[in-house]
Amino acid sequence: MFKRFKIPEATIGRLTSYSRFLKEADEKGVTTVSSQQIARATGVTPAQVRKDLAYFGEFGTRGVGYNPRELYNYIMKILGLDRRWSVAIVGAGHLGTALSLYKGFAERGFDITCIFDADPEKIGKKIAGLEVRSLEELSQKVKEYNVELGIVAVPAAAAQEVVDIMVGAGIKGIINFAPVNVSVPEDVVIRRVDLASQLEYLTYHLGETR
Amino acid sequence: MFKRFKIPEATIGRLTSYSRFLKEADEKGVTTVSSQQIARATGVTPAQVRKDLAYFGEFGTRGVGYNPRELYNYIMKILGLDRRWSVAIVGAGHLGTALSLYKGFAERGFDITCIFDADPEKIGKKIAGLEVRSLEELSQKVKEYNVELGIVAVPAAAAQEVVDIMVGAGIKGIINFAPVNVSVPEDVVIRRVDLASQLEYLTYHLGETR
């Protein structure tokens, strides 16, 4: 029901921050939090918190606040995180290895279940307990492990080919770390993580003070 | 002048995309582009393009369009990218190594000039032609290489200490890849890159089609 409207992308990112704060509050035994408290903990304004939540319906009690556990559960449902997701990584270089070892995925419900590479020297190696497999095995393993999400951690020149293989195997959501735009069919969601653009947020803000 | 207003963070991210398209257009010898063309190439609406640019003043000629090179140069200035920036990475593990080798930084004006680690086994090793140095050398090297930006690629438990060292050495902008929030003084800009949240954009959108 709450998904009828087009939600700004930045709202999704903030919901993630709110949910982390709400989880911590709940774990500490807190039973009520205000939009001011959520705002302070996540670095936004209270008005922004209320606006973001308003996209999804009525929450909390005016003048009282929100129950952290209830709001957390609701946000996790909005984000599609009321279940676990099986994730495949393609690329067993430094970035793919770092992502395989990244502790932050499992705690949000993302299980890295398979790792692939085209390099015969990497195939068969173990990373984070998983055997690196050849791209030829991708389609079969995606079925075996019910993989729905894929992470592309290969050089720019190989990215489109890898994405095509992922899409062909039925993967519906892809994160692309390669510094290149790739195309996917309309029913596949793709997101490019541009590492340089992260630095550009800094230089923009530092520019403000020059 | 254009920095008086509070610009939405998402606008900054889109300016980055626009600038990449404009550079390509200019390199192909294109002399005029429309907001429709910018929009199509970057996956937003033409109205969004016009709104984003309007934050910074009047551009282009109504009914004619923009000169790609002029607009590119202006956006790069807005983003603080009309100069090069010296960047230090702390953490020479898989993620730090991947970032040191990442091709996308140099082409946007970011030069990785030093790499640090606390692990004696890593100190002295070479990554991307740079010698890994101890944290004790950070302050001196930051001065020597005019480092203004830092990237934190260490485990969560070490992140705050590393950030404190960076801030003490005079670094004014920090990207934190560790899955933890860290605090900085008011005059330092920090941005946390939450790798799990990238996957959450996918699950949110996949949720829409469930």
Side-chain angles (χ1 to χ4, degrees):
Chain A
M1 188 191 90
F2 47 74
K3 281 167 185 166
R4 277 203 218 135
F5 309 101
K6 181 83 185 150
I7 310 300
E9 184 167 295
T11 294
I12 309 303
R14 284 189 297 266
L15 289 180
T16 294
S17 305
Y18 303 160
S19 71
R20 289 174 191 275
F21 165 72
L22 292 165
K23 191 181 182 207
E24 280 172 34
D26 179 47
E27 283 169 358
K28 283 180 197 151
V30 175
T31 55
T32 313
V33 296
S34 64
S35 47
Q36 282 82 357
Q37 287 171 302
I38 301 175
R40 203 178 312 127
T42 58
V44 301
T45 64
Q48 183 72 65
V49 172
R50 288 189 293 264
K51 190 178 165 194
D52 286 337
L53 295 176
Y55 284 113
F56 305 99
E58 290 275 333
F59 291 102
T61 310
R62 189 175 291 270
V64 175
Y66 309 95
N67 177 279
R69 189 179 304 177
E70 277 175 26
L71 189 54
Y72 170 80
N73 286 336
Y74 198 69
I75 290 178
M76 292 299 273
K77 200 174 166 189
I78 291 168
L79 293 173
L81 300 181
D82 50 345
R83 47 164 287 197
R84 299 197 73 81
W85 295 81
S86 169
V87 184
I89 294 178
V90 178
H94 289 292
L95 183 59
T97 301
L99 293 169
S100 308
L101 297 167
Y102 184 67
K103 301 266 191 298
F105 289 141
E107 67 188 38
R108 296 292 282 183
F110 299 110
D111 300 312
I112 309 293
T113 53
C114 6
I115 307 174
F116 302 92
D117 204 289
D119 179 356
E121 293 209 358
K122 295 209 179 88
I123 295 164
K125 266 181 51 183
K126 284 221 167 184
I127 300 174
L130 299 173
E131 191 181 327
V132 178
R133 299 179 187 277
S134 72
L135 284 172
E136 286 70 32
E137 295 172 88
L138 189 141
S139 188
Q140 185 207 318
K141 292 293 164 194
V142 160
K143 282 174 193 68
E144 196 174 323
Y145 290 98
N146 296 310
V147 172
E148 290 167 282
L149 306 176
I151 296 177
V152 177
V154 301
Q160 183 67 58
E161 190 190 340
V162 162
V163 164
D164 291 345
I165 292 171
M166 285 178 162
V167 169
I171 290 177
K172 289 293 178 219
I174 297 171
I175 296 285
N176 175 26
F177 279 92
V180 64
N181 286 324
V182 292
S183 51
V184 293
E186 280 228 335
D187 64 332
V188 175
V189 183
I190 188 153
R191 190 174 164 82
R192 177 173 161 194
V193 180
D194 182 335
L195 295 169
S197 79
Q198 303 295 331
L199 285 168
E200 295 175 18
Y201 283 95
L202 300 185
T203 56
Y204 168 76
H205 287 291
L206 291 176
E208 281 183 318
T209 61
R210 280 182 301 197
Chain B
M1 186 192 91
F2 48 73
K3 282 167 185 168
R4 277 203 218 131
F5 307 101
K6 181 80 185 155
I7 310 298
E9 185 168 293
T11 294
I12 309 304
R14 284 189 296 265
L15 289 179
T16 295
S17 305
Y18 303 159
S19 71
R20 289 174 191 276
F21 166 72
L22 293 164
K23 192 183 181 204
E24 280 172 33
D26 180 46
E27 283 170 357
K28 283 181 196 150
V30 175
T31 55
T32 312
V33 295
S34 64
S35 47
Q36 281 82 357
Q37 287 171 301
I38 300 175
R40 203 178 313 127
T42 58
V44 301
T45 64
Q48 184 71 66
V49 173
R50 288 188 293 266
K51 190 178 165 193
D52 286 336
L53 295 176
Y55 284 113
F56 305 99
E58 290 276 334
F59 291 102
T61 311
R62 188 174 292 268
V64 175
Y66 309 95
N67 176 279
R69 189 180 305 177
E70 277 176 26
L71 189 53
Y72 170 80
N73 286 335
Y74 197 71
I75 291 178
M76 292 298 272
K77 199 173 166 189
I78 291 169
L79 293 173
L81 299 181
D82 51 345
R83 47 163 287 198
R84 299 197 73 81
W85 294 82
S86 169
V87 183
I89 294 178
V90 178
H94 288 291
L95 183 60
T97 302
L99 294 168
S100 308
L101 297 167
Y102 183 68
K103 301 266 190 298
F105 289 141
E107 67 188 39
R108 295 293 281 183
F110 300 110
D111 299 313
I112 310 293
T113 53
C114 7
I115 307 174
F116 303 91
D117 204 288
D119 179 356
E121 293 210 357
K122 295 209 179 89
I123 295 164
K125 265 181 52 184
K126 284 219 167 186
I127 300 174
L130 298 173
E131 190 181 327
V132 178
R133 298 179 187 277
S134 73
L135 283 172
E136 286 70 33
E137 296 172 88
L138 189 141
S139 188
Q140 186 208 317
K141 292 293 163 193
V142 160
K143 282 174 193 68
E144 197 175 322
Y145 290 98
N146 296 309
V147 173
E148 290 167 282
L149 305 176
I151 297 177
V152 177
V154 301
Q160 183 67 59
E161 190 190 341
V162 162
V163 164
D164 292 345
I165 294 170
M166 284 178 162
V167 169
I171 289 177
K172 289 292 177 218
I174 298 172
I175 296 284
N176 175 26
F177 279 92
V180 63
N181 285 324
V182 292
S183 51
V184 294
E186 280 228 336
D187 63 333
V188 175
V189 183
I190 189 154
R191 188 174 166 82
R192 178 174 160 193
V193 180
D194 183 335
L195 295 168
S197 78
Q198 304 296 331
L199 285 169
E200 295 176 18
Y201 283 95
L202 300 185
T203 55
Y204 169 76
H205 287 290
L206 291 176
E208 281 183 319
T209 59
R210 279 181 302 196

